[in-house]
Amino acid sequence: MKIKARKQGTVIFLPVPASFQIKDQQEFELKQLSDRTLQFTPLFQEIYPPIWEDDPAVISQFNQEIGSADDKSNYGLENVNY
């Protein structure tokens, strides 16, 4: 695939086709390698939702819907046969 860099003010933009499914406002770390290749690495905190900040009531409801209700006594002590 061939793209064309575009200048806007003092910044050069590289258009990314929508088929790459990059989210609006997604952040990347940019490096220029020794061979002048540009390497864009997504910053993962933007890719994965902050699941640990979800409302406990919402999590509990979800767990009930999928048949994984919390028994309120074995938190972190799942039934595992060793």
Side-chain angles (χ1 to χ4, degrees), residues 52 59 63 67-82:
W52 306 117
I59 295 171
N63 286 339
S68 180
D70 184 2
D71 65 7
K72 307 282 192 250
S73 63
N74 289 323
Y75 183 73
L77 301 172
E78 290 75 19
N79 295 325
V80 178
N81 295 324
Y82 293 100

Side-chain angles (χ1 to χ4, degrees), residues 32-44:
Q32 186 172 28
L33 306 180
S34 60
D35 65 355
R36 298 186 44 90
T37 297
L38 298 178
Q39 178 182 17
F40 291 84
T41 304
L43 298 177
F44 293 104

Side-chain angles (χ1 to χ4, degrees), residues 1 16-26 28 42 46-47:
M1 175 180 298
V16 178
S19 63
F20 281 51
Q21 299 180 350
I22 303 296
K23 293 181 180 179
D24 185 39
Q25 301 298 314
Q26 171 66 48
F28 293 85
E46 295 295 325
I47 293 175

Side-chain angles (χ1 to χ4, degrees), residues 51-64 70 72 75:
I51 61 171
W52 306 117
E53 297 173 14
D54 287 350
D55 180 359
V58 172
I59 295 171
S60 179
Q61 177 64 32
F62 174 76
N63 286 339
Q64 288 177 4
D70 184 2
K72 307 282 192 250
Y75 183 73

